[in-house]
Amino acid sequence: MSADLHQIWVYLSANPLAGLTLTLVAYQIGVWVFEKLGRRPVLNPVLIAVILIAGTLGLSGIDYRTYFDGAQFVHFLLGPATVALAVPLYNQFQEVRRSALALVVALLVGSAASALSAVALVWICGGTKVTILSMAPKSVTSPIAMGVSEQIGGLPSLTAVFVIITGIVAASLGTWVLNLVRVKDWRARGFGMGVAAHGIGTARALQVNEVAGAFAGLGMGLNGLATALLLPTLYHLIWG
């Protein structure tokens, strides 16, 4: 019987749908834990799902490429999900228009602070130039961050890790930090989460408030655009 079960496991682990199933189950467990324990930001469903998936892959010996053959279906849906953020943004269009000047200033300051703080942190820790360049676009959604990283000489795979860590940490601690500095306006809270924590922060903002979610989606998109345009330019000015 154990031999039969082993054969079944070998078959399932090699099946692309195993990666998709593992991803969906891990996230549902994360959501369940998040809801049962009082929706605490530190128990972000994405963080729990990452830990569960990493643990499962490590214990089972399944390599990442095999897992991603199935999980890429979820990865593909990131595009439509990002575009769908335009719906709550459209509903809040009048608020966006009234806040245009403040949003532009917040975007420039937030985008610059995200990149410079990342560079400074790696430099203080004695990191290499490649690590610095890989860390710089950490607050931008993964596809843009990896593209920018490759363009300026970083490692896209390392950048992807930094992006995920940044999103999880910022989404987990962002609410606490915003409460600490007494930011109560949902527009400011959402925009800040979108600029600092890209998609994961935007998802967290949508869970809390519709206005915050709309402005978080706007912040994520504008920060991606600003970083894609400004970071390569700054790189060529400094190291070119």
Side-chain angles (χ1 to χ4, degrees), residues 7-34:
Q7 291 178 357
I8 293 173
W9 172 249
V10 170
Y11 169 76
L12 290 176
S13 64
N15 192 318
L17 289 179
L20 176 61
T21 302
L22 174 60
T23 303
L24 296 178
V25 170
Y27 184 74
Q28 284 301 313
I29 292 174
V31 172
W32 182 83
V33 173
F34 178 70

Side-chain angles (χ1 to χ4, degrees), residues 16 18-20 23 64 66-76:
L20 176 61
T23 303
Y64 179 78
T66 301
Y67 159 75
F68 191 72
D69 284 341
Q72 64 180 327
F73 295 112
V74 177
H75 181 76
F76 168 78

Side-chain angles (χ1 to χ4, degrees), residues 71-85 141-143 199 220:
Q72 64 180 327
F73 295 112
V74 177
H75 181 76
F76 168 78
L77 291 174
L78 286 174
T82 302
V83 174
L85 291 173
T141 188
S142 296
M220 179 183 70

Side-chain angles (χ1 to χ4, degrees), residues 158-182:
L158 183 58
T159 299
V161 174
F162 287 141
V163 169
I164 293 172
I165 293 174
T166 298
I168 291 174
V169 172
S172 300
L173 302 180
T175 300
W176 178 80
V177 172
L178 291 170
N179 289 339
L180 183 65
V181 297
R182 298 181 181 180

Side-chain angles (χ1 to χ4, degrees), residues 1-9:
M1 183 64 180
S2 60
D4 292 337
L5 289 175
H6 177 71
Q7 291 178 357
I8 293 173
W9 172 249

Side-chain angles (χ1 to χ4, degrees), residues 24-93:
L24 296 178
V25 170
Y27 184 74
Q28 284 301 313
I29 292 174
V31 172
W32 182 83
V33 173
F34 178 70
E35 295 289 346
K36 286 295 182 180
L37 298 182
R39 301 173 66 90
R40 299 178 184 274
V42 72
L43 297 174
N44 189 286
V46 175
L47 173 60
I48 296 173
V50 168
I51 294 173
L52 290 175
I53 292 171
T56 301
L57 295 182
L59 292 173
S60 63
I62 301 174
D63 63 88
Y64 179 78
R65 188 179 298 277
T66 301
Y67 159 75
F68 191 72
D69 284 341
Q72 64 180 327
F73 295 112
V74 177
H75 181 76
F76 168 78
L77 291 174
L78 286 174
T82 302
V83 174
L85 291 173
V87 175
L89 183 60
Y90 174 79
N91 294 335
Q92 301 296 328
F93 180 74

